[in-house]
Amino acid sequence: MSIYLKILTNRLFLGLLMPARQAFNLLLVRGLVYVIFLMEMYPLPYILCYTVLYDFVFYKKHQVTIGGWGKKMSDYTYSTLRERRQLKNRAAEWFHSKWGVLQEAYLECMEAYLNNKTEYGWYLCLDGDRIIGGLGVIENDFHDRKDFTPNICAVYTEDEYRCKGIAGRLLDMAVEDLKSKGITPVYLVTDHTSFYERYGWEFLCMVQGDDELDKTRMYIHK
């Protein structure tokens, strides 16, 4: 019995970690459930299972964030590398680990951006201090159409953070930043066929990638 009571007490305490309105709604229902338990109208395991199920539905509906679970896109921080200069080395290492391109190559592009030698920037999404998504802008993303420039490159979101709109937010951020500086249109190459269209990109043509046998798709954002 004491184990069940401890679990129920812990679950009640979690409600105190939420915003006030959400906490009131959740604690109200939990309180009614616990009153029923105290009146011994139902077995304790049944009450516990019910509260766990209710919590899951409540968290899912309201997208409550406790300990990182159920986070929304608005819970993350989006910034340019110029706004987070201290992340330069870590960002270069992160992109290198995702794409296999030399870390020094990323650092060279990032330093040119940080030193205002180019407006082709780097954009990051952070969960706390952790880099969970990012992309960059370079002159040419290793293909034969040198006239289609600049190119979005290295678009990546960590597996456990996908399907939250992070990549789309980063793409929009980069396009708007470049447009504000008079740089438009913007291009990118990809093997995806139905992703970038969601964010205003249009298929342009097929291009030949460096050291690749097959051509790849090029998109444009005007």
Side-chain angles (χ1 to χ4, degrees):
M1 181 66 71
S2 61
I3 295 177
Y4 287 123
L5 285 174
K6 183 176 181 180
I7 294 174
L8 289 174
T9 302
N10 288 340
R11 300 191 68 76
L12 183 65
F13 175 73
L14 286 177
L16 301 177
L17 302 180
M18 302 177 195
R21 185 175 179 180
Q22 294 176 342
F24 176 79
N25 292 336
L26 184 58
L27 292 176
L28 177 62
V29 173
R30 281 184 181 166
L32 292 174
V33 170
Y34 299 159
V35 167
I36 293 174
F37 157 64
L38 291 174
M39 294 173 63
E40 298 183 355
M41 295 178 64
Y42 293 98
L44 181 56
Y46 174 84
I47 301 298
L48 181 60
C49 290
Y50 179 86
T51 57
V52 171
L53 178 61
Y54 178 83
D55 288 356
F56 176 78
V57 174
F58 185 90
Y59 292 158
K60 195 68 175 179
K61 178 180 179 180
H62 297 281
Q63 297 187 2
V64 175
T65 300
I66 294 179
W69 184 62
K71 282 193 173 181
K72 300 177 291 184
M73 182 172 65
S74 58
D75 294 318
Y76 307 123
T77 302
Y78 297 83
S79 66
T80 67
L81 190 59
R82 279 179 180 166
E83 297 168 330
R84 302 275 181 144
R85 292 173 177 266
Q86 72 277 14
L87 295 178
K88 180 187 69 174
N89 291 330
R90 186 144 60 92
E93 182 180 358
W94 184 82
F95 281 109
H96 163 70
S97 70
K98 307 307 177 185
W99 296 105
V101 176
L102 291 177
Q103 185 171 338
E104 290 75 12
Y106 286 117
L107 283 172
E108 182 179 353
C109 294
M110 291 176 181
E111 287 171 357
Y113 172 60
L114 293 177
N115 293 327
N116 298 313
K117 295 180 179 179
T118 180
E119 290 302 324
Y120 296 167
W122 293 84
Y123 306 84
L124 303 172
C125 178
L126 305 170
D127 184 1
D129 292 330
R130 180 189 178 191
I131 300 175
I132 60 171
L135 59 81
V137 182
I138 58 177
E139 188 79 18
N140 177 275
D141 196 14
F142 308 105
H143 58 79
D144 62 344
R145 292 303 303 265
K146 311 302 182 186
D147 52 323
F148 293 153
T149 187
N151 293 179
I152 298 286
C153 71
V155 181
Y156 194 90
T157 303
E158 295 286 359
D159 290 347
E160 64 270 33
Y161 289 89
R162 293 179 180 178
C163 301
K164 295 178 179 290
I166 292 174
R169 175 76 175 271
L170 288 167
L171 286 165
D172 290 344
M173 183 179 174
V175 168
E176 291 304 315
D177 185 37
L178 291 169
K179 189 175 294 186
S180 70
K181 298 166 182 174
I183 303 173
T184 188
V186 187
Y187 305 87
L188 64 79
V189 291
T190 180
D191 293 326
H192 291 288
T193 57
S194 60
F195 177 76
Y196 292 96
E197 290 87 345
R198 306 175 196 171
Y199 305 105
W201 293 79
E202 301 174 7
F203 172 73
L204 180 62
C205 63
M206 301 298 290
V207 298
Q208 184 65 56
D210 298 348
D211 301 320
E212 294 184 6
L213 296 177
D214 299 324
K215 289 189 175 182
T216 189
R217 300 168 65 85
M218 169 159 280
Y219 281 78
I220 183 173
H221 197 295
K222 300 177 182 179

